[in-house]
């Protein structure tokens, strides 16, 4: 089976890859990572118009485009990327030769890609050469990129390799390259992205066009709660998927235990969450979600099903702090982080976070009202055992 994991370096994606490998060590897994930066358009610098009137020997594309503008270039542009926000530096330029084809880019020679470190800080050890066959439009990759998915809470490093493409989830060409030859797509949506719905429906379109057999969508518990922008986006994707004609499964997980960084909490000797101290929330172990994803991917009988993935355990901030204190033997205080302080921090990061700040504040308000509780029946049946408890997660975090 050939599987595409969208978002392989995030916490969810990295757990999913581990679970897929545990189920089938020889599985062919491809990842699609979003570009670290998503600029609005491409800019080509014309030499010789600056103060010194110096002539440059080649054009420089300073900002790679994201496909929104549909820009087509008639001649090669040699890109000399800088270090950008991620601090990544490339050792040599990348020469691209796009054409005007509406069905996808054709290139006359390989493009050597040297991806940066992305959102998780993950660094890749090798480059990947991508060759597009002009006659068939097929993609041949000479070697995989070694990806060490970023489970930053545990700090673990994985030794296996996957084939990983760095692309724009809103670019039809990138999506088509990602799904080429794939049997099953596992879509882990980017959290709190203002165009999350467009990315999800776009991946569904690409899967349909490529003849993908299965599409597993990781949504959110109670996606029907329209007051939460992220949930509304996920519900729109769920509806689009149900009308796609694909063999699909929707997984609706609860709030994750891994949202609580045990190491950071112990370092600060305090746990502050944006809820009243007495608010008890439900938490799901990402390891359990990943196990369910692998089960659904490899087993029959899950087509056209929507599963709520939740536990019966619900804990307050004070109870979590007390649990970490008991397991670690180190005192951890508990407190309430004012939502206004959380939102102010997000908004201060830049205008792009305006949507994020609103989405997070609405999500927190809903969780404070309801506890984000769910029914554990589906999770128990799929796991064939009791779900993991928060204490198990804390002990595992301390061991790592």
């Amino acid at each position: 089976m050939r599987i595409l994991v969208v978002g392989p370096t995030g916490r969810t994606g990295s757990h999913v890859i581990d679970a897929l490998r545990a189920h089938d060590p020889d599985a062919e897994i491809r990842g699609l990572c979003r570009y670290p930066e998503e600029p609005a358009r491409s800019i080509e610098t014309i030499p010789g118009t600056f103060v010194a009137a110096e002539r440059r020997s080649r054009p420089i594309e300073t900002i790679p485009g994201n496909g929104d503008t549909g820009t087509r270039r008639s001649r090669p542009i040699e890109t000399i990327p800088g270090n950008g926000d991620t601090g990544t530096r490339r050792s040599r330029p990348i020469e691209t030769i796009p054409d005007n084809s509406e069905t996808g880019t054709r290139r006359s020679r390989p493009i050597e890609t040297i991806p940066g470190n992305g959102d998780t800080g993950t660094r890749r050890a090798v480059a990947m050469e991508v060759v597009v066959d002009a006659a068939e439009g097929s993609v041949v990759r000479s070697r995989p990129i070694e990806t060490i998915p970023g489970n930053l809470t545990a700090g673990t490093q994985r030794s296996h390799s996957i084939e990983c493409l760095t692309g724009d989830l809103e670019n039809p060409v990138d999506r088509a390259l990602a799904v080429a030859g794939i049997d099953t797509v596992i879509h882990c949506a980017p959290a709190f992205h203002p165009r999350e719905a467009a990315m999800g429906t776009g991946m569904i379109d690409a899967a349909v066009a490529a003849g993908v057999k299965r599409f597993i969508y990781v949504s959110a518990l109670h996606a029907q709660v329209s007051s939460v922008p992220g949930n509304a986006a996920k519900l729109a994707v769920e509806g689009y998927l149900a009308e796609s004609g694909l063999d699909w499964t929707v997984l609706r997980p609860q709030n994750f235990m891994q949202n609580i960084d045990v190491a950071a909490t112990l370092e600060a000797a305090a746990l502050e969450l944006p809820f009243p101290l007495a608010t008890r929330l439900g938490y799901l172990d990402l390891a359990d979600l990943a196990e369910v994803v692998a089960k659904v991917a490899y087993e029959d009988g899950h087509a056209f099903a929507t599963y709520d993935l939740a536990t019966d355990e619900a804990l307050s901030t004070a109870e979590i702090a007390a649990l970490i204190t008991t397991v670690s033997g180190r005192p951890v205080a508990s407190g309430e982080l004012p939502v206004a302080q959380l939102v102010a921090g997000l908004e201060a990061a830049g205008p792009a976070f305006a949507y994020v700040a609103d989405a997070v504040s609405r999500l927190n308000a809903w969780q404070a009202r309801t506890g984000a509780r769910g029914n554990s029946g589906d999770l128990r049946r799929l796991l064939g055992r009791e779900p993991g408890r928060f204490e198990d997660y804390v002990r595992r975090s301390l061991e790592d």
Side-chain angles (χ1 to χ4, degrees):
M1 180 185 294
R2 293 159 297 182
I3 301 173
L4 172 69
V5 177
V6 180
T9 58
R11 286 184 307 179
T12 301
S14 62
H15 279 81
V16 166
I17 290 170
D18 282 349
L20 293 171
R21 288 292 190 201
H23 197 284
D24 180 8
D26 298 321
E28 296 181 39
I29 302 174
R30 180 184 302 166
L32 175 58
C33 304
R34 287 187 298 149
Y35 288 134
E37 302 171 50
E38 295 181 6
R41 56 181 298 160
S42 299
I43 300 174
E44 183 179 352
T45 301
I46 307 298
T49 58
F50 297 94
V51 176
E54 296 176 353
R55 301 294 300 179
R56 294 166 178 80
S57 62
R58 56 184 181 271
I60 302 173
E61 184 188 23
T62 56
I63 304 178
N66 65 354
D68 281 348
T69 62
T71 303
R72 299 290 188 268
R73 299 174 182 85
S74 61
R75 66 180 191 282
I77 298 176
E78 186 175 35
T79 63
I80 307 178
N83 59 354
D85 293 336
T86 63
T88 305
R89 294 203 66 85
R90 281 88 171 175
S91 61
R92 56 187 174 274
I94 302 170
E95 189 172 52
T96 64
I97 309 179
D99 69 4
N100 293 331
S101 171
E102 294 181 357
T103 59
T105 304
R106 298 289 187 267
R107 299 172 176 91
S108 64
R109 58 176 177 267
I111 299 175
E112 185 175 24
T113 62
I114 307 177
N117 60 350
D119 294 337
T120 63
T122 305
R123 301 210 49 98
R124 284 108 178 160
V126 296
M128 176 181 65
E129 291 180 344
V130 180
V131 182
V132 179
D133 187 308
E136 300 294 334
S138 60
V139 180
V140 180
R141 297 166 183 86
S142 63
R143 53 184 171 172
I145 292 177
E146 184 180 7
T147 303
I148 305 175
N151 182 359
L152 301 183
T153 55
T156 55
Q157 292 192 347
R158 297 157 174 87
S159 59
H160 61 257
S161 297
I162 69 168
E163 181 183 56
C164 191
L165 302 178
T166 300
D168 186 344
L169 269 63
E170 295 180 86
N171 187 335
V173 174
D174 289 347
R175 294 194 298 252
L177 289 173
V179 299
I182 291 296
D183 300 307
T184 299
V185 172
I186 300 171
H187 186 78
C188 305
F192 301 116
H193 195 290
R195 295 185 299 281
E196 178 182 338
M199 292 177 178
T201 56
M203 284 305 304
I204 293 169
D205 285 342
V208 171
V212 170
K213 298 175 182 177
R214 302 283 317 282
F215 197 105
I216 300 169
Y217 179 54
V218 180
S219 181
L221 187 66
H222 305 317
Q224 68 271 22
V225 178
S226 59
S227 64
V228 179
N231 284 14
K234 290 177 173 63
L235 188 63
V237 176
E238 289 186 18
Y240 198 80
L241 183 58
E243 295 181 345
S244 67
L246 292 168
D247 179 338
W248 56 267
T249 306
V250 171
L251 303 177
R252 291 180 164 183
Q254 196 173 41
N255 188 40
F256 297 129
M257 296 178 186
Q258 281 73 8
N259 291 343
I260 308 295
D261 188 329
V262 175
T265 297
L266 287 172
E267 183 177 354
L271 176 64
E272 292 186 342
L273 299 178
F275 313 103
L277 284 177
T279 301
R280 306 182 77 205
L281 299 181
Y283 290 94
L284 171 69
D285 193 337
L286 266 173
D288 284 350
L289 168 63
E291 186 175 331
V292 169
V293 171
K295 185 181 185 72
V296 168
Y298 286 109
E299 295 183 1
D300 295 329
H302 302 289
F304 315 118
T306 299
Y307 297 124
D308 285 351
L309 305 180
T311 69
D312 292 329
E313 185 177 36
L315 299 170
S316 67
T317 306
E319 288 171 332
I320 294 174
L323 191 155
I324 295 175
T325 295
T326 300
V327 174
S328 68
R330 297 165 57 183
V332 174
S334 60
E336 180 181 352
L337 177 68
V339 175
Q341 181 178 334
L342 173 64
V343 171
L346 293 171
E347 290 178 335
F353 285 81
Y355 170 86
V356 180
D358 179 61
V360 169
S361 61
R362 292 193 188 192
L363 174 62
N364 287 346
W366 172 71
Q367 289 180 328
R369 290 195 306 271
T370 67
R373 302 293 298 277
N375 189 290
S376 62
D378 285 348
L379 183 59
R380 279 197 176 87
R381 285 191 294 272
L382 290 165
L383 292 175
R385 58 171 172 80
E386 288 295 311
R389 298 182 61 81
F390 208 101
E391 181 177 344
D392 301 327
Y393 162 64
V394 173
R395 292 187 183 279
R396 193 168 68 242
S397 298
L398 293 176
E399 291 171 359
D400 294 334

